[in-house]
Amino acid sequence: MEEELMIGIDVDGDGIEKTEENNAAAAAAVDDDDDIGHQVDDLFTKVEKLEQRVNEIEQFYLTSSKVQSSNSQKSSFVKDKEKLKHIPGYKKHQQEAARREAIAAKRMQDIMRQFGSILRQITQHKWAWPFMQPVDVEGLGLRDYYEVIDRPMDFSTIKNQMEAKDGTEYKHVRDICSDVRLVFQNAMKYNDDKSDVHAMAKTLLEKFEEKWLQFLPRVTEEEKRREEEEAEAQLSIQRSQEAAHAKMARDLSNELYETDTQLEKLRETVVQKCRKMSTEDKRNIGIALTRLCPEDLSKALDIVARHNPSFQSTAAEIDLDIDAQSELTLWRLKYFVKDALHGQVKNDATFEVGNKADSPVNPIETIVSKRKMQICNALAKTAKKRNQKR
C-alpha cells in the first residue's frame, strides 16, 4: 500500500510539473505578445511624431519656394515669430535687431533735430503768431470749430511732442511734417479764403513745402537704409531657418531609416512566432491571386519582388513559385489578398445592380482576364515542374 501510494504521488507530481511547465510556457507567450504589442504601440507613436515633423519641413520648403511681395514677406515674418524662437541663434538675432533698431532710432533723432531748423524758420515768420498756440475756441466764440475741425493742431503742441520723453514723442520726421501741414490746413479749412488767417496759413504752407522738398532727400536716404537693413536681417533669419530645417531633414532621414529597420525586425519576429504555411495555405494564396484586379495583382507581385530582387513583377510572362517564397512573403501575401478580395466583394456588390448577361465585352475586363490567366498559367507551370522533379 505504501508503494502504491508513493507511485500515486509521483504521478501526481509529474502532472503538477507538466501543468507548471505549460503555465510557464503560456505566461511566456503572453509576455512575448505583450512585448510585441508594446513595440507596435511605440512604433505608432514614433511614426506619428515623425509624420508631424515631415509635414512641418514640407510646409517650410513649400512656403519658401513661393514668390512673395515684400509686404507679404514682412507679414509672414511677423506671423512666424513664435516658430523662430526654436531656431538656434534666434536670441542673437533678437539682440542684433534691438541694437540695429536703437542705432536707426538715433539716426532718426538726428534728422528730426535737423528738421527743427526748418520749423524755427517757419515759426519765426511774422505771420506765424496765429498758429503758435491752440485756438481759443471759447474766447473767440467759435462754437462750430470742433464740428469743422476733427483734429486741432498748433506749433506749441508739436514742440511739446518733439521734446517728450514719455513714449509719446515723434518716432519719424514724416509725422512732424504731417502735423505742420495740419496746422495750416485746419486754418485754411475753417477760415474763409478771403480772410487774413487763411492767406497767412496758405503762404506759410507754401514756404514750408519748399523747404521740405529740399530736406526730403535726407529722409528718403535714411528710409532706404532702414529697408536694406531690415531686408538683410530677414535674409539672415531665413538662412538660419533653412539651415535648421536642413539639419531637421537629415536627422529625420536617419530616424526614418532606424524606424524602418526596427519595423522590419519586428515583422521578422512576428513571422517567426507564426506557424509554418501549410500546402493548403499556399494553394489558397495561389488561387486568391487569380481573383485579384490588375491593380491589386501588381501590388501582390511587388510584395513578392520586395524579398526576391531577381523576380520580375512587371514581366510579360511570370513564373511564380509559391513554395520558393519565404514565410514573411507568404504571410504578407495572405493578408494582402484577404483584404484586397474583401474590398472587391464590396465593390462588386455596389455595381452588381444593372449588369446584364448580354452586355457588350468590356476591353478592361478582357485585360483583367488575360492577366489572371497569366498568373494561373505560371502557377500551373510551377506545379508541373515540381511534379516532374518528384
Side-chain angles (χ1 to χ4, degrees):
M1 289 295 292
E2 291 180 359
E3 185 177 354
E4 290 179 359
L5 182 61
M6 289 183 67
I7 292 173
I9 292 172
D10 288 341
V11 171
D12 289 342
D14 291 341
I16 292 172
E17 288 177 0
K18 289 180 180 179
T19 302
E20 289 177 350
E21 289 176 0
N22 292 337
N23 290 340
V30 170
D31 290 341
D32 288 343
D33 291 343
D34 290 342
D35 182 56
I36 292 174
H38 290 316
Q39 290 184 53
V40 171
D41 292 339
D42 291 342
L43 275 175
F44 268 115
T45 303
K46 188 174 183 180
V47 168
E48 286 178 358
K49 292 179 179 178
L50 290 174
E51 187 176 14
Q52 291 176 357
R53 291 167 59 190
V54 167
N55 292 336
E56 181 182 343
I57 293 173
E58 286 180 347
Q59 187 62 35
F60 170 77
Y61 284 108
L62 181 64
T63 304
S64 299
S65 64
K66 293 180 180 178
V67 179
Q68 300 176 331
S69 64
S70 59
N71 289 336
S72 63
Q73 285 178 348
K74 186 174 181 180
S75 62
S76 176
F77 167 74
V78 174
K79 184 179 179 182
D80 294 340
K81 270 189 175 179
E82 288 300 320
K83 292 183 178 179
L84 292 176
K85 291 181 179 179
H86 304 291
I87 294 178
Y90 177 66
K91 188 175 181 180
K92 183 180 178 181
H93 285 298
Q94 280 187 312
Q95 293 172 348
E96 290 178 353
R99 182 182 59 82
R100 185 175 60 253
E101 188 66 27
I103 294 173
K106 186 177 180 181
R107 291 199 306 264
M108 182 55 66
Q109 287 175 1
D110 292 339
I111 292 175
M112 288 191 288
R113 276 195 292 271
Q114 295 170 19
F115 178 80
S117 63
I118 298 177
L119 200 58
R120 282 192 296 273
Q121 293 176 36
I122 298 298
T123 56
Q124 289 173 3
H125 194 277
K126 62 181 180 179
W127 287 352
W129 62 268
F131 316 109
M132 297 304 296
Q133 298 295 329
V135 176
D136 186 3
V137 177
E138 293 184 4
L140 297 174
L142 308 177
R143 298 179 180 178
D144 63 342
Y145 186 80
Y146 294 116
E147 295 177 5
V148 178
I149 303 303
D150 297 326
R151 183 169 169 257
M153 185 55 61
D154 63 278
F155 285 114
S156 65
T157 301
I158 293 174
K159 181 183 178 183
N160 291 335
Q161 192 168 346
M162 287 180 68
E163 296 174 352
K165 303 295 182 182
D166 59 355
T168 61
E169 66 273 11
Y170 290 109
K171 302 296 190 299
H172 200 290
V173 70
R174 287 186 183 273
D175 297 333
I176 308 176
C177 178
S178 297
D179 282 352
V180 171
R181 287 189 179 119
L182 186 61
V183 171
F184 301 128
Q185 288 169 350
N186 284 347
M188 294 167 64
K189 183 178 181 180
Y190 187 78
N191 296 278
D192 185 79
D193 56 359
K194 294 180 180 180
S195 68
D196 292 340
V197 174
H198 184 102
M200 294 161 71
K202 184 177 180 180
T203 300
L204 290 177
L205 180 59
E206 289 174 353
K207 289 183 178 295
F208 172 74
E209 294 295 354
E210 289 176 4
K211 295 182 181 298
W212 171 252
L213 283 176
Q214 296 173 1
F215 187 78
L216 189 57
R218 304 180 196 177
V219 180
T220 54
E221 182 182 354
E222 171 59 23
E223 289 173 338
K224 183 179 179 181
R225 181 176 178 180
R226 291 197 69 170
E227 287 178 1
E228 290 173 352
E229 290 176 349
E230 184 65 24
E232 186 178 349
Q234 290 193 23
L235 181 60
S236 177
I237 291 176
Q238 185 179 355
R239 286 171 178 167
S240 297
Q241 281 184 296
E242 290 174 353
H245 282 83
K247 184 179 183 302
M248 284 176 60
R250 290 193 298 271
D251 294 343
L252 188 58
S253 178
N254 293 333
E255 289 186 49
L256 286 170
Y257 177 78
E258 292 175 1
T259 303
D260 189 55
T261 303
Q262 185 179 355
L263 181 60
E264 193 61 32
K265 289 180 180 179
L266 186 59
R267 283 171 178 164
E268 292 176 0
T269 302
V270 172
V271 169
Q272 288 173 3
K273 292 182 178 294
C274 293
R275 63 175 177 81
K276 293 285 185 180
M277 277 282 182
S278 65
T279 303
E280 183 68 17
D281 290 330
K282 295 177 183 178
R283 189 179 71 84
N284 290 336
I285 291 174
I287 295 172
L289 287 172
T290 65
R291 298 175 181 172
L292 296 178
C293 67
E295 183 180 356
D296 289 335
L297 186 57
S298 296
K299 291 178 181 178
L301 295 177
D302 287 339
I303 292 174
V304 176
R306 198 175 302 169
H307 295 281
N308 296 274
S310 60
F311 180 76
Q312 299 295 326
S313 60
T314 57
E317 201 172 309
I318 298 173
D319 187 6
L320 179 61
D321 187 355
I322 290 291
D323 289 333
Q325 306 308 315
S326 65
E327 289 294 317
L328 178 59
T329 301
L330 291 172
W331 279 105
R332 282 182 174 176
L333 281 174
K334 180 177 180 178
Y335 284 109
F336 174 78
V337 296
K338 179 181 178 182
D339 293 339
L341 289 176
H342 182 68
Q344 285 183 200
V345 168
K346 287 185 177 180
N347 292 334
D348 291 343
T350 304
F351 293 100
E352 185 176 1
V353 178
N355 288 343
K356 295 181 180 180
D358 57 349
S359 60
V361 177
N362 189 333
I364 296 178
E365 290 180 357
T366 305
I367 296 171
V368 174
S369 300
K370 186 176 180 181
R371 188 65 171 162
K372 287 180 178 179
M373 185 62 69
Q374 289 177 353
I375 297 297
C376 289
N377 291 339
L379 293 170
K381 188 186 296 183
T382 304
K384 186 176 180 180
K385 287 180 180 178
R386 285 200 300 270
N387 292 333
Q388 288 175 353
K389 290 178 180 179
R390 291 174 185 172

